[in-house]
Amino acid sequence: MLLVVGRIGRPHGVRGEVTVEVRTDEPEQRFAVGSVLVTDPAAASAPSVVPAALTVEDVRWHQGRPLVLFDGYYDRDLVENLRNVLLCVDSDEVESPADPDEFLDHELVGLSAVSPAGEVLGTVARIDHAPASDLLVVTRPGGGTALVPFVKAIVPSVDVAGGKVVVDAPAGLLDL
């Protein structure tokens, strides 16, 4: 499974550098010199000229955003064709967090949400990262979705290997 770690923005200067909109918690690791990033050119201005992968040749930070130079792209006109290309990594290459209470989004998506008694409440469709806490977006069996705050008081256990998360929802939370 490919995980999006960034999106190429506008060119910066005339030497081929581009701004990158970061979509990962570990930008220093994902955009390190020598990193090979798989591309998803669907939103590019010229998808037919986008390579399958790009190698980071140089990176520097400017105003809180990485400016990246890709190997072989040393001209502003060339990198203009890369605008809006999504940069991805294979989920198999991403290490799981060392903290047993920390999970990557792709590890949670698809897990069955069950009550403490074992009743199936739905399936985790995605994770929304809200300001106060992360939210599990659970697709309900009868249709619709429920937003479940991903906090220990409501989600006391996660069993990735077993394919389930236990949701101890307060009355009415799943009915919203």
Side-chain angles (χ1 to χ4, degrees):
M1 166 195 262
L2 290 179
L3 304 174
V4 176
V5 296
R7 183 183 64 82
I8 296 176
R10 61 180 175 74
H12 183 85
V14 296
R15 298 180 314 127
E17 288 181 314
V18 292
T19 60
V20 174
E21 174 188 308
V22 175
R23 296 187 183 175
T24 178
D25 289 341
E26 300 169 329
E28 291 82 10
Q29 182 180 357
R30 301 289 165 241
F31 301 107
V33 172
S35 296
V36 178
L37 302 168
V38 177
T39 62
D40 180 359
S45 55
S48 60
V49 299
V50 177
L54 292 166
T55 303
V56 176
E57 183 172 307
D58 192 30
V59 63
R60 65 186 176 97
W61 290 82
H62 178 67
Q63 297 180 348
R65 185 172 283 208
L67 297 178
V68 179
L69 179 67
F70 293 108
D71 185 35
Y73 288 83
Y74 308 117
D75 180 81
R76 182 182 183 93
D77 294 333
L78 278 177
V79 295
E80 184 63 47
N81 293 325
L82 300 177
R83 189 184 290 231
N84 294 322
V85 169
L86 296 177
L87 301 169
C88 309
V89 295
D90 190 336
S91 61
D92 292 338
E93 297 174 10
V94 178
E95 294 179 24
S96 292
D99 183 351
D101 289 332
E102 186 177 340
F103 304 93
L104 299 173
D105 290 3
H106 74 277
E107 294 175 319
L108 300 173
V109 172
L111 296 183
S112 180
V114 298
S115 71
E119 174 192 356
V120 175
L121 304 172
T123 304
V124 177
R126 71 175 190 274
I127 314 304
D128 284 351
H129 300 281
S133 71
D134 293 338
L135 298 168
L136 299 178
V137 179
V138 177
T139 304
R140 303 280 287 146
T145 59
L147 298 177
V148 177
F150 192 39
V151 294
K152 195 76 163 170
I154 297 174
V155 183
S157 72
V158 176
D159 181 4
V160 174
K164 68 179 181 178
V165 294
V166 175
V167 176
D168 190 8
L173 178 69
L174 300 175
D175 299 327
L176 295 176

